Amino acid sequence: MPGQSHSRVPTGTKNRAIVRSKKTVQDLDLDASIRQAFGGIYARPKNLEESLEALRSGKLVLPPQPVWTGDPTDWVANPFDDRNWRFQHHTLRWMNPLRWAAIEGDKDAKAEWLRIARSWGETNTPAEASPSDFAWRDMADGNRAIQLCIGAPLAGPEDSWFVELLEYHRDWLMDPTHIVGKNHGLHQHQGLLVLGAVLRDQNAIDTAVSRMRTQFKTTFDVQGTNNEGSSAYHQMNMTWWGLAWNRASLEGITPPLDATERLASAAHVLAHIALPDGQIPQIGDSKRTRVALGYSPHSDFVSTGGQEGVAPTETAIVLDRGYIASRSGWGNTRPLAHESHTLIKYGEDYPGHSHEDRGSVNIYTQGQRWLIDPGFHSYQNSIPEVKYLKSREAHNVASIPGVKYDRHASVDLVSHSITENYHDFLLLDRGYKKHDLTRRVTYFTEADCWIISDKSGPSSKFQISQTWNIEPGVKLRFLDDGFRLHTKNNNFGMYWLGKDTIVKRHLANEKSLEGWIGTSWKTMFPSARITATSSVQRPHIVSLFGGHSPQPLSIVESHVASNGAIMAHVARGLSHWRIQISEDDISIRNTL
């Protein structure tokens, strides 16, 4: 137990042998402690005085959670019945203002930092005796290790318990049975790396870096796509891994060449995934946020609205880990924020921060989100809001009502064609086993419109349906063949071709979660949800979408043949296009 001069060394997954610690506070590398004190949650807070005042007045602030007034050393506290709050509490990151104030000469802050750290250690070591199931949960241990390490200059010769606490964390993180995957594991590796530096333990440093090298190859593939199924976590992993390799560099470790290359590719991916206005779409566990500056010229171009950086050359990209991004351009013929953008999800079920969104389509144009992902609520996986927002039923997908769906099945990209005139993608949803369900998404660049065709096999005796989530604040008006979506400044048309499709609108209400959109932490807004359903005789739905760019899109005539062939004559002002889509071919001809 901290306060005694001994350390625990792993002898297995749970038990720890107790031996006398050979290190003292004077043996710690305080230079390592100082040089490793960087990164958003460890750097000097911009609002240091305000943060200190909150702590001194008994307020524990763990954004985005509510402020809690209570005993911060109550290590089983759970005031909001929230996993994230408990996790943050045990990281001890919230002690950062005390540490910085102490370094700058505040003796009271120093005493309080040491008091809290010692209280945590006395209560929660050994791990098997901790009263909290979050004390040694993955990632909390790694984050806490860094916070303790960078506080090493605050410990005095009399604080032998502090060295023991660092060594216990090192021993815990050296045990491979305690290491998890994805970004949680990365935080553990960083914690072990910093512990090794401060404890002057080269073996711990080498172990951490070896694990980082191995994990990095699975975190970002050769195209630069992250493996967590979340657009926000794609960007966060870029930040975290950049910090991790910087930490290694400060200890004399040269990052592998492929780390630099894959992080550059990840920034290229981010530029394509991002909406034209610089926002990151809500895919997986993602609140609404912007592309950050500083990753690469491509991502900086999107982040700054084209004021800095360089635009990517492609207007469409297919990523093996389940993203397809398509856009009208990069601001050459219209303002960048007014370009059209399509994001399609497909592929395998990637566990992590993903949702059941494979096969979904999200559309943005003319500076406005129109057809969107249902969003994110929190990490409380057992509550109804989270269950709904993660579910397949909540996303912009096609389905076969009444037929059991395999939620882990892949949605495969069967074929695609990217030309100057159109971007075409054919998906096969394997979730219905005996029933082939295909979704074909075709964006026509000059006409600036989308045709989305959902169809089940010719022998199917079931209806199919497609659902669409509408951006909150967008108003809807019924049309004979669909809806007109509109805001104060813009319009977007949703039309259904053929005669056998029934289209309905559902407005969000307090009786169900259908139609509610999660935009940020535990924040949901009411919106509308549109459902289109086919007949049993013809399980085929064809939708045509288009915004004002700058003139409204209209349908002169259209036809869906019994063999699935599609013909649409569309007009925008004086321009007319005749579109024909068959199983094997696409043609679009400007007739005026």
Side-chain angles (χ1 to χ4, degrees):
M1 163 177 305
Q4 302 171 359
S5 298
H6 58 251
S7 177
R8 296 169 180 81
V9 180
T11 58
T13 11
K14 294 183 179 180
N15 298 319
R16 296 292 181 272
I18 298 177
V19 297
R20 290 278 176 180
S21 174
K22 296 180 180 180
K23 288 185 182 292
T24 66
V25 171
Q26 290 91 329
D27 294 322
L28 300 178
D29 188 340
L30 300 188
D31 288 338
S33 175
I34 293 169
R35 66 175 172 261
Q36 290 290 347
F38 69 94
I41 54 180
Y42 305 111
R44 187 184 192 278
K46 294 180 180 179
N47 60 340
L48 178 58
E49 291 301 324
E50 181 182 340
S51 299
L52 281 172
E53 180 58 32
L55 285 170
R56 286 168 175 161
S57 62
K59 296 178 181 178
L60 189 55
V61 184
L62 304 178
Q65 307 286 350
V67 176
W68 179 56
T69 301
D71 177 7
T73 60
D74 177 1
W75 302 114
V76 293
N78 186 16
F80 307 112
D81 192 24
D82 189 278
R83 293 164 50 86
N84 180 264
W85 189 93
R86 299 176 69 202
F87 155 74
Q88 291 200 65
H89 188 209
H90 281 279
T91 64
L92 303 185
R93 298 183 311 202
W94 48 273
M95 296 204 304
N96 200 43
L98 293 170
R99 186 184 68 82
W100 279 98
I103 289 173
E104 295 173 7
D106 188 326
K107 293 182 179 180
D108 290 339
K110 175 181 177 179
E112 181 66 357
W113 191 96
L114 289 169
R115 183 188 75 83
I116 294 172
R118 185 166 188 169
S119 168
W120 191 94
E122 290 178 342
T123 304
N124 295 291
T125 57
E128 55 267 28
S130 171
S132 172
D133 59 343
F134 268 79
W136 294 99
R137 183 160 296 198
D138 56 52
M139 191 165 79
D141 48 20
N143 277 270
R144 184 176 57 253
I146 296 177
Q147 187 61 237
L148 291 171
C149 281
I150 62 179
L154 307 185
E158 70 281 6
D159 294 316
S160 58
W161 62 267
F162 182 75
V163 178
E164 180 187 343
L165 188 56
L166 294 187
E167 290 183 332
Y168 190 92
H169 277 78
R170 176 203 58 195
D171 298 342
W172 174 269
L173 291 171
M174 284 290 287
D175 187 337
T177 65
H178 298 149
I179 304 303
V180 295
K182 303 293 176 72
N183 74 80
H184 290 207
L186 171 61
H187 288 288
Q188 293 180 304
H189 307 333
Q190 290 192 74
L192 181 59
L193 172 63
V194 178
L195 283 162
V198 173
L199 289 168
R200 304 181 191 272
D201 185 337
Q202 191 61 46
N203 184 41
I205 294 175
D206 292 343
T207 300
V209 172
S210 175
R211 290 171 178 175
M212 286 166 57
R213 290 177 184 272
T214 299
Q215 183 175 327
F216 184 79
K217 292 181 180 294
T218 62
T219 300
F220 292 100
D221 65 10
V222 293
Q223 291 179 301
T225 313
N226 180 249
N227 65 344
E228 298 211 48
S230 160
S231 52
Y233 274 83
H234 178 94
Q235 175 166 272
M236 287 191 286
N237 269 278
M238 291 169 60
T239 298
W240 291 328
W241 277 98
L243 289 172
W245 291 122
N246 284 342
R247 293 195 188 283
S249 297
L250 290 174
E251 304 310 320
I253 308 295
T254 301
L257 179 61
D258 66 344
T260 302
E261 294 173 344
R262 293 195 188 196
L263 284 175
S265 296
H268 181 72
V269 168
L270 180 64
H272 277 279
I273 292 175
L275 301 175
D277 64 356
Q279 294 281 325
I280 296 177
Q282 290 189 265
I283 300 299
D285 289 339
S286 300
K287 66 178 183 179
R288 297 199 173 188
T289 188
R290 291 190 60 81
V291 173
L293 274 171
Y295 295 121
S296 80
H298 287 162
S299 56
D300 283 354
F301 183 84
V302 177
S303 178
T304 63
Q307 298 302 304
E308 298 178 21
V310 179
T313 56
E314 320 95 326
T315 55
I317 188 171
V318 174
L319 301 167
D320 295 340
R321 279 188 170 165
Y323 295 92
I324 298 170
S326 161
R327 67 181 67 221
S328 54
W330 293 100
N332 297 322
T333 60
R334 54 173 143 163
L336 177 62
H338 283 207
E339 297 282 10
S340 296
H341 182 268
T342 318
L343 191 62
I344 305 169
K345 284 291 276 94
Y346 77 104
E348 301 175 11
D349 179 17
Y350 286 104
H353 288 280
S354 62
H355 292 183
E356 295 176 15
D357 55 7
R358 299 180 302 285
S360 66
V361 180
N362 303 316
I363 294 178
Y364 168 109
T365 188
Q366 290 296 298
Q368 174 68 47
R369 305 181 199 225
W370 298 103
L371 308 180
I372 62 170
D373 186 276
F376 166 72
H377 181 268
S378 67
Y379 300 110
Q380 300 290 96
N381 293 330
S382 62
I383 67 174
E385 292 87 348
V386 174
K387 287 183 177 180
Y388 171 75
L389 292 178
K390 283 190 171 187
S391 72
R392 188 172 185 275
E393 290 77 13
H395 289 83
N396 296 343
V397 297
S399 60
I400 304 177
V403 178
K404 185 177 180 180
Y405 187 81
D406 179 0
R407 296 179 182 277
H408 300 292
S410 65
V411 175
D412 299 339
L413 178 62
V414 176
S415 63
H416 69 277
S417 179
I418 300 171
T419 72
E420 182 180 357
N421 296 323
Y422 58 82
H423 305 158
D424 180 57
F425 310 96
L426 178 62
L427 306 177
L428 172 61
D429 191 333
R430 299 189 179 279
Y432 290 105
K433 296 184 179 179
K434 296 180 180 180
H435 304 271
D436 288 342
L437 180 61
T438 61
R439 164 162 277 188
R440 188 171 191 175
V441 182
T442 310
Y443 170 67
F444 295 95
T445 56
E446 185 181 1
D448 198 25
C449 67
W450 296 258
I451 291 181
I452 299 178
S453 172
D454 292 314
K455 183 169 57 172
S456 64
S459 61
S460 177
K461 296 181 180 180
F462 295 88
Q463 295 173 298
I464 62 170
S465 68
Q466 57 178 211
T467 52
W468 301 101
N469 294 298
I470 311 301
E471 169 71 4
V474 170
K475 300 183 184 302
L476 283 75
R477 178 177 296 177
F478 282 103
L479 303 174
D480 289 341
D481 50 0
F483 292 93
R484 180 168 70 88
L485 280 55
H486 60 97
T487 63
K488 181 179 179 181
N489 300 315
N490 214 334
N491 293 268
F492 183 83
M494 300 182 69
Y495 310 101
W496 279 266
L497 311 184
K499 299 180 179 179
D500 298 325
T501 302
I502 299 174
V503 182
K504 295 181 179 180
R505 177 193 67 176
H506 174 85
L507 299 179
N509 57 65
E510 300 297 331
K511 296 180 180 180
S512 75
L513 289 166
E514 184 179 358
W516 288 85
I517 305 297
T519 58
S520 60
W521 183 262
K522 296 184 180 179
T523 302
M524 298 182 73
F525 286 95
S527 189
R529 182 170 169 85
I530 294 174
T531 302
T533 306
S534 76
S535 68
V536 174
Q537 290 73 23
R538 182 181 287 190
H540 188 190
I541 301 175
V542 180
S543 49
L544 190 152
F545 304 147
H548 285 197
S549 54
Q551 297 170 305
L553 183 76
S554 62
I555 301 175
V556 179
E557 64 173 318
S558 67
H559 179 68
V560 179
S562 58
N563 64 0
I566 301 165
M567 186 283 292
H569 178 185
V570 299
R572 194 186 294 283
L574 297 177
S575 297
H576 287 241
W577 297 271
R578 184 171 290 273
I579 298 169
Q580 291 184 307
I581 302 176
S582 66
E583 183 177 343
D584 302 317
D585 188 41
I586 297 176
S587 67
I588 179 169
R589 182 166 54 91
N590 194 324
T591 60
L592 288 178

